[in-house]
Amino acid sequence: MAMEAIAEGQSVTDVSTVGRFSKWRAAIAPLLFLTPALVALIGFRLLPAGWLVQQSLSGPDGEFAGLDNFGFLFTAPSFAKTLQATLTFVAVTVPLQTVTSFGLALLFAGNSRIVSLLRVLVFLPVFIPSSVAAILWGAAYRPQGLANALLTSVGVSAQPFLTSPDQALMSIIVMSSWVGVGFWMMFLIGGLKDIPRDLYEAASIDGAGKLSSLWHITIPLMRRPLAFVIVADTVSAFLLFAPIAILTRGGPNGSTQLVMFDVYQQAYFFNDVPLAAAEGLTLMVIMMVIILIQFRLLSREKQL
């Protein structure tokens, strides 16, 4: 009897141990799968963000300087001009790319061979690296380049483009839009294909034309994809760097001095890392505000 009791006690203990091990394994297994993502998040996001905050509050010799860098930044006329150029670039680029990509999505949402070919041609610039695209457009913007050749062929005089303070920023906008519209177009085509065809058939039966269907069906049901494109394109516009660094280096007369390129100059040309960190942190705050706007737009769409 004693031996049976001991054996029974051992069985109960073994079962309890196995149960605890199973619970521990069920709890630890998700953490093991998440470990690479957590390491990447900490190493590539949180630690650099913490270093950025620490540097923005430091002086030239590493001493604590409080908000001195931000005070200098927001009272400097050069930063005001940089911020104005950046906001102008974003304010023109985002509506231009959104409207153009939405129009192209409406045109190329079909499945015919010609439409598919045209859709591929519009999307092709997405595969070109931004630095290569900048070099191509830099050649096109030369005095004897392709852009002026096309203008003179229709009777328009040659334009200075990148060498003009009045035209340089718009020239960069055109170049970035050439790359961007195809990318955003594909997102919007995906949204268009998710709209049930039955709605258009019912509207057609009720006598609604294409313009009425566009206004009352397509646009309302495309609010979420359009919100994503607008917010993502805004973030992309704020982070534009390669074309400025390759083509204009902020000139002429600071007309293309965008915030991202100014951060690079402050850190690597003027060796003022704390001021560059303060400017980068300011840019990061703007990005966070935009992300909050994105969440607000998406939550509003869900309520509708």
Side-chain angles (χ1 to χ4, degrees), residues 55-233:
Q55 286 293 318
S56 67
L57 301 176
S58 302
D61 298 326
E63 74 281 4
F64 181 74
L67 299 177
D68 291 349
N69 292 318
F70 294 95
F72 176 81
L73 191 66
F74 287 104
T75 55
S78 59
F79 181 69
K81 187 175 182 179
T82 297
L83 195 58
Q84 180 183 2
T86 304
L87 293 176
T88 302
F89 177 80
V90 174
V92 176
T93 300
V94 175
L96 175 63
Q97 293 192 16
T98 303
V99 172
T100 305
S101 59
F102 185 54
L104 292 173
L106 292 173
L107 289 174
F108 301 144
N111 296 319
S112 66
R113 291 184 178 181
I114 296 177
V115 168
S116 299
L117 176 61
L118 293 175
R119 186 166 59 223
V120 170
L121 292 177
V122 173
F123 188 71
L124 275 179
V126 177
F127 295 101
I128 301 175
S130 57
S131 56
V132 177
I135 293 172
L136 293 175
W137 278 88
Y141 282 142
R142 289 177 180 175
Q144 287 77 36
L146 178 62
N148 276 323
L150 293 175
L151 290 177
T152 54
S153 67
V154 294
V156 180
S157 59
Q159 301 297 314
F161 293 120
L162 297 176
T163 59
S164 169
D166 298 326
Q167 296 183 10
L169 188 62
M170 184 55 67
S171 300
I172 297 295
I173 290 172
V174 172
M175 190 223 74
S176 63
S177 298
W178 177 75
V179 176
V181 292
F183 183 74
W184 305 122
M185 178 194 70
M186 297 305 294
F187 281 98
L188 296 178
I189 287 177
L192 289 173
K193 289 184 177 296
D194 285 338
I195 299 177
R197 299 293 98 186
D198 297 343
L199 296 177
Y200 293 107
E201 294 175 1
S204 177
I205 294 174
D206 292 338
K210 291 184 177 180
L211 187 61
S212 179
S213 297
L214 173 67
W215 184 256
H216 294 287
I217 298 176
T218 306
I219 293 179
L221 293 179
M222 286 291 291
R223 285 173 58 93
R224 185 164 182 164
L226 284 170
F228 169 78
V229 168
I230 290 171
V231 175
D233 194 20

Side-chain angles (χ1 to χ4, degrees), residues 216-256:
H216 294 287
I217 298 176
T218 306
I219 293 179
L221 293 179
M222 286 291 291
R223 285 173 58 93
R224 185 164 182 164
L226 284 170
F228 169 78
V229 168
I230 290 171
V231 175
D233 194 20
T234 302
V235 174
S236 176
F238 271 113
L239 298 179
L240 186 77
F241 173 76
I244 303 299
I246 294 173
L247 295 178
T248 64
R249 304 193 67 80
N253 298 332
S255 59
T256 61

